[in-house]
Amino acid sequence: MRSVHRDDDPAESADWQREARAQFPIVTGHPELAYLDSAATAQKPRAVLEAVQSYLTTSNANAGRGAYPWANRTTDLVERTRLRVKEFLGDPDPQGSSVHFTSGTSEGLRTVARDWLTTWLTDGDEILVPFADHRANLDPWLEAQRLLAGRGIRVQVHALPYQAGSGDYDHRAFDRLVGPRTRFVAATHVHHVYGGDMNVHRIREAVGPDVPICLDAAQSIGHLPVRVGESALDVDFVVFSGHKALALPGTGAIWARDARGPAFRPGGWQGSPNTVGIASLEAALDWLDAVGTDRIAQWTAALTTRLSDGLGRLPGYEILGCQSSLAADSPLPAAQRRHGIVTFRHPDIPSDDLGFILFSHGFMVRADSLCQAGTDEKKDGSVRVSLHVYNTLGEIDRLLAVLTSLG
């Protein structure tokens, strides 16, 4: 993945950001509100909304099931968007890979688990999966283990090791987990609670060149450059949700390299695709390329650093994740910094109450256990601020002022 300069003065990008923000009608239509929940779902630029309206009013039909012009245009849209996903990811071998549309990351990961992983693991094989990332990247692999056990195939599941307190994978501990029967690794690109780049290239170094890696890219696609043609992202699956990448809800994709293990083919009868969602995804990827995911990443990183730096100076607040990357003058490289996500707790105010308080001041945040695997909702509630290109420095400063007033 290309590095992103995160210490640039955001004022230099102010004009560019204002132009980008102006393309989000729901944001500009509610200037009194600050939407700070883009890790849950992103808002949609006008180009996506117009593409949806155009499709529904000119070409709406089913794909692959008709010989008339509307159906043909819809079929072309679906196939064109498959190629668009490959192009967006910098696919080095688009003829050898495949793209399959899903309802989102959760369904996509489950499809890989049920329809691909269970078809080629054998008795005694081992897999490594995350036990402290989003539940969508844990439950499918445990389900696959249970399905295989029902067939008499015993697969050992190892938990990816984590560094204490940081939320990062502990790559130095991989040696004791990787062995000759290691067949598969599931990993996360950007953590949905801590916001950190999980340094997938180190997993590849640990497991070697032959073990397939499936990447949950829900929090990176649309937020920063994701280039599978680069050695830093030598993975076999990239799974993401369209709605977190500026497209409509109910659409997502699985990109499969089809180079390690059997070629990926979803099982069962493939019903009607979400054609309007696919139309929105094509438009969203076009918009992101035009605006530049590198510039989006640079902008949101500047906002994230401003928030974590300011919040880190307030007494009592607990910021989750790596503590050495909070300050604006942190010497850590770009990949170690937070990518648009800051999650914290208040010492005296429960997270759900704090969420209501912040909304009373015009801030929309996520306040609960954040669907993190291995957490107890009653004890592990937190507040997550997640940012995108439409957020501003003024919103961050106002949020810090409110948090300061709460003590």
Side-chain angles (χ1 to χ4, degrees):
M1 187 180 66
R2 293 181 300 216
S3 63
V4 176
H5 297 292
R6 306 168 80 74
D7 53 355
D8 291 355
D9 183 357
E12 296 180 3
S13 299
D15 291 340
W16 163 85
Q17 191 273 336
R18 277 193 291 269
E19 292 179 3
R21 175 183 168 89
Q23 298 179 52
F24 291 84
I26 195 172
V27 173
T28 58
H30 297 277
E32 76 284 3
L33 299 175
Y35 183 77
L36 304 176
D37 197 19
S38 292
T41 195
Q43 299 302 335
K44 320 307 175 193
R46 186 172 291 105
V48 169
L49 303 177
E50 292 174 350
V52 168
Q53 183 178 31
S54 175
Y55 170 74
L56 290 175
T57 56
T58 64
S59 303
N60 182 37
N62 213 331
R65 292 167 173 81
Y68 50 90
W70 291 0
N72 292 337
R73 287 201 294 269
T74 298
T75 300
D76 289 343
L77 164 71
V78 172
E79 296 310 312
R80 187 174 68 239
T81 307
R82 293 188 203 276
L83 296 177
R84 189 69 184 89
V85 170
K86 295 181 183 184
E87 181 183 36
F88 188 79
L89 294 176
D91 189 340
D93 183 21
Q95 299 303 314
S97 64
S98 58
V99 170
H100 307 269
F101 295 114
T102 71
S103 66
T105 305
S106 296
E107 184 197 353
L109 293 170
R110 192 166 186 260
T111 301
V112 174
R114 291 175 62 93
D115 296 345
W116 181 82
L117 189 64
T118 59
T119 65
W120 73 288
L121 291 180
T122 59
D123 194 63
D125 283 346
E126 302 176 5
I127 64 175
L128 281 71
V129 304
F131 275 69
D133 297 356
H134 197 285
R135 287 195 60 178
N137 203 15
L138 172 62
D139 290 355
W141 318 117
L142 299 181
E143 181 184 9
Q145 182 191 37
R146 292 192 296 270
L147 290 172
L148 288 166
R151 305 174 198 166
I153 300 172
R154 295 165 297 175
V155 172
Q156 187 170 1
V157 177
H158 294 292
L160 285 171
Y162 294 84
Q163 298 177 20
S166 73
D168 297 331
Y169 298 139
D170 186 353
H171 302 92
R172 293 167 295 184
F174 272 77
D175 288 345
R176 60 180 173 81
L177 296 175
V178 176
R181 297 303 300 271
T182 301
R183 294 288 184 265
F184 173 80
V185 180
T188 299
H189 193 186
V190 172
H191 200 281
H192 74 293
V193 176
Y194 310 117
D197 185 322
M198 302 301 279
N199 292 304
V200 179
H201 67 282
R202 294 179 180 169
I203 296 178
R204 172 57 67 201
E205 292 169 358
V207 302
D210 301 323
V211 176
I213 298 174
C214 178
L215 191 66
D216 174 350
Q219 299 300 342
S220 55
I221 297 290
H223 297 263
L224 65 156
V226 179
R227 312 293 292 179
V228 297
E230 299 179 2
S231 59
L233 276 185
D234 182 9
V235 298
D236 300 87
F237 296 93
V238 172
V239 186
F240 66 95
S241 300
H243 72 99
K244 297 179 191 289
L246 310 184
L248 293 186
T251 189
I254 303 168
W255 171 85
R257 192 182 294 273
D258 292 337
R260 301 179 179 96
F264 173 70
R265 298 292 181 268
W269 175 258
Q270 301 301 299
S272 299
N274 179 2
T275 53
V276 68
I278 292 169
S280 76
L281 180 60
E282 180 187 43
L285 298 183
D286 288 345
W287 191 91
L288 288 165
D289 266 346
V291 172
T293 51
D294 54 343
R295 297 193 74 175
I296 292 173
Q298 183 174 332
W299 177 260
T300 56
L303 300 186
T304 306
T305 299
R306 194 179 189 110
L307 176 57
S308 64
D309 183 81
L311 192 56
R313 300 175 190 276
L314 299 181
Y317 285 93
E318 175 193 3
I319 303 177
L320 306 186
C322 180
Q323 298 302 297
S324 59
S325 63
L326 302 180
D329 58 355
S330 169
L332 291 177
Q336 298 297 112
R337 305 279 184 86
R338 286 166 168 77
H339 289 277
I341 294 174
V342 178
T343 302
F344 59 92
R345 296 191 182 103
H346 188 279
D348 301 312
I349 306 174
S351 61
D352 52 353
D353 291 344
L354 184 52
F356 284 118
I357 292 170
L358 290 177
F359 180 70
S360 72
H361 290 274
F363 300 102
M364 292 176 279
V365 298
R366 177 76 176 269
D368 55 32
S369 66
L370 310 179
C371 301
Q372 185 175 10
T375 61
D376 182 336
E377 288 196 23
K378 294 182 179 179
K379 297 188 299 183
D380 296 311
S382 54
V383 171
R384 180 182 67 188
V385 172
S386 51
L387 307 163
H388 217 305
V389 66
Y390 36 74
N391 294 119
T392 67
L393 293 169
E395 290 173 341
I396 299 302
D397 291 343
R398 294 202 315 271
L399 175 63
L400 286 170
V402 171
L403 294 173
T404 300
S405 70
L406 296 176

